[in-house]
Each structure stands twice: as C-alpha cells, then as structure tokens.
C-alpha cells in the first residue's frame, strides 16, 4: 500500500471520527432540556445550579478558538462542535437568568461577564504571540486543561453512585453520550496527531467506561434486589 493511500485512509478515518464526535456531542448538548422544561413549568430554578453551564460555555469557547486556523490546522470539526455547544450553553444561561431569583441572577451575570472577559483575554493574548507553534501550545494547553476539568466533574457523581449504590443521579444516556463523544474525538486526535485533543478525550473515554460499568453493575443489583420478596414466609 502506497504512502498516499495510507494518508488518504487516515484522513477519511479522522473526518469520520470527527463527524461522529459532533453527532454524539449533540446528545450531550440537549441533555439539560428536561431540566429546563421543569424550570419553565415551575417558573423557578429551584435548587438547580447554573455553574455547569457557565463552565461549559468557557470550555466550548476555548476549544472553539483552538480549532480555528489561526491556532491549529485542519481542526474544523473541533470548531463546529464547540460553536454549537457554545450556542446551547449560552441559551441555557439566558433561560436560567430568566427564572432565577435575584441573588442567583446577579451571581450568574457576574460569572458570565467574567467568562467572556477571560475568553477575550485569551483570544487577544494569543494573537499577540507571533510564533504560530507557541500560539498553538498556549491555547492548546488551556483547552486541554479545560477539557480535563470538564471530564473530571463526573468523579463526584461516580463517588455518589458508589456511596448510595444507586444510579439515580447518573443518567444512562448522558454517560453513554460522554463515552461515545470522548472516544470519537480521542480517535480524531490520534489520526490528526494532536495531543491537545487525544489526551483529554482519552481521559474522558476512561471515565465514560467507568461510568457505564458502574451503571450496569448497580442497575443490575437494584433490579435483582427488587425481585426479592418483601415478606419471607417460613411456613
């Protein structure tokens, strides 16, 4: 097989993994919709926190910037998925602000301004770096750190599942979407030889597998427990 043929196969495989990652990421982006249906129906954010949407917005903005040609080459699919993600997160934040009480609303607005300010500093600061490789390293390091922190957030849920021996707080489809998206972009990063993509998504893949294993283990235990008789007769 010629070198050109190998290159072509890798290019097709990379694009396929990137498109798959975009599709699976959409499942993650729409996962908060049931929460916001409840918020709209009740006219209140209740005990829900808006912080995950703030952090997700910052993560999407940094990763979107990394995927642009000004920072890295041939990462258009990284830009598209994070652009869509940023739009979703911004929409969720607006809805949260509409139904939040005053104290939460003020805190969310302050955090939103801070996120936009941080992103503006990153954007303008990176453009001041003339060396394209140093610019890529600077933004890539930030995007990698941001992704790892996002993927590490389910560790609290994993701990909760183990403590409670219940999967109530770990929705199956959310865990599955996380695993599929992380795996897709892990392969995308490998085919593109981009450590800033495959390292954090490799970590995300491992955490996704862990969540799925825990889900099936504890879901099976709870199902088996429900089959046990409530009253045991020794007649």
């Amino acid at each position: 097989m010629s070198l050109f043929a190998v290159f072509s196969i890798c290019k097709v495989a990379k694009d396929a993994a990137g498109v798959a990652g975009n599709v699976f990421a959409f499942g993650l982006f729409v996962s908060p919709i049931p929460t916001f249906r409840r918020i709209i129906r009740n006219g209140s954010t209740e005990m829900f926190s808006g912080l995950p949407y703030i952090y997700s917005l910052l993560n999407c903005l940094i990763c979107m910037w990394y995927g642009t040609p000004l920072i890295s080459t041939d990462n258009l699919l990284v830009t598209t998925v994070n652009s869509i993600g940023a739009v979703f997160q911004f929409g969720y934040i607006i809805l949260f602000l509409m139904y939040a009480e005053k104290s939460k609303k003020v805190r969310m607005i302050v955090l939103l301004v801070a996120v936009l300010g941080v992103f503006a500093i990153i954007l303008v600061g990176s453009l001041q770096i003339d060396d394209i490789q140093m610019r890529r390293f600077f933004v890539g390091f930030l995007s990698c750190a941001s992704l790892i922190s996002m993927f590490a957030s389910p560790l609290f849920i994993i701990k909760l599942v183990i403590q409670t021996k219940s999967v109530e707080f770990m929705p199956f489809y959310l865990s599955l979407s996380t695993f599929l998206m992380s795996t897709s972009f892990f392969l995308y990063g490998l085919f593109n030889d981009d450590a800033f993509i495959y390292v954090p998504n490799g970590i995300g893949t491992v955490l996704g597998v862990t969540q799925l294993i825990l889900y099936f283990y504890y879901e099976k235990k709870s199902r088996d427990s429900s089959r046990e008789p409530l009253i045991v007769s020794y007649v």
Side-chain angles (χ1 to χ4, degrees):
M1 186 180 291
S2 68
L3 188 62
F4 177 76
V6 173
F7 175 79
S8 298
I9 292 172
C10 287
K11 179 76 168 59
V12 171
K14 185 202 77 169
D15 290 343
V19 170
N22 274 251
V23 172
F24 295 135
F26 188 79
L28 282 177
F29 297 151
V30 300
S31 62
I33 287 178
T35 297
F36 280 92
R37 280 180 177 167
R38 174 173 168 175
I39 289 173
I40 293 169
R41 184 173 63 248
N42 295 339
S44 169
T45 57
E46 302 175 24
M47 297 300 292
F48 291 110
S49 171
L51 290 179
Y53 312 111
I54 291 286
Y55 293 143
S56 295
L57 176 63
L58 180 60
N59 175 68
C60 287
L61 290 174
I62 295 173
C63 294
M64 176 190 71
W65 180 233
Y66 176 74
T68 62
L70 288 171
I71 306 299
S72 62
T73 56
D74 202 20
N75 272 327
L76 178 63
L77 290 170
V78 173
T79 301
T80 57
V81 68
N82 285 287
S83 299
I84 295 169
V87 171
F88 269 96
Q89 303 312 319
F90 195 74
Y92 293 141
I93 291 169
I94 295 299
L95 281 173
F96 195 91
L97 287 172
M98 288 172 61
Y99 293 96
E101 59 189 39
K102 188 176 180 180
S103 59
K104 275 188 179 181
K105 192 173 296 187
V106 170
R107 188 164 62 249
M108 283 287 289
I109 291 173
V110 170
L111 289 171
L112 178 59
V113 171
V115 162
L116 296 177
V118 168
F119 177 64
I121 291 170
I122 294 171
L123 190 151
V124 174
S126 60
L127 291 177
Q128 303 307 307
I129 304 173
D130 294 328
D131 187 333
I132 187 65
Q133 291 302 321
M134 282 300 297
R135 184 191 302 169
R136 178 176 174 273
F137 180 83
F138 171 68
V139 181
F141 178 80
L142 291 175
S143 69
C144 187
S146 177
L147 275 170
I148 289 174
S149 66
M150 286 294 298
F151 286 133
S153 59
L155 288 174
F156 170 76
I157 301 298
I158 290 173
K159 180 183 176 183
L160 188 63
V161 168
I162 294 172
Q163 286 178 336
T164 62
K165 295 180 172 54
S166 169
V167 294
E168 179 185 356
F169 302 103
M170 191 172 68
F172 171 72
Y173 289 109
L174 185 60
S175 300
L176 181 63
S177 295
T178 300
F179 166 69
L180 293 173
M181 185 201 71
S182 301
T183 303
S184 298
F185 277 107
F186 170 68
L187 294 173
Y188 176 89
L190 281 180
F191 287 124
N192 207 29
D193 192 26
D194 193 327
F196 293 125
I197 296 177
Y198 68 70
V199 168
N201 282 287
I203 294 171
T205 299
V206 172
L207 289 172
V209 169
T210 304
Q211 289 182 67
L212 290 174
I213 290 172
L214 284 173
Y215 181 88
F216 285 116
Y217 177 73
Y218 285 111
E219 195 271 340
K220 183 178 184 299
K221 286 192 71 173
S222 62
R223 190 169 61 243
D224 290 343
S225 298
S226 66
R227 289 174 180 169
E228 294 179 1
L230 295 178
I231 301 175
V232 179
S233 173
Y234 293 97
V235 176

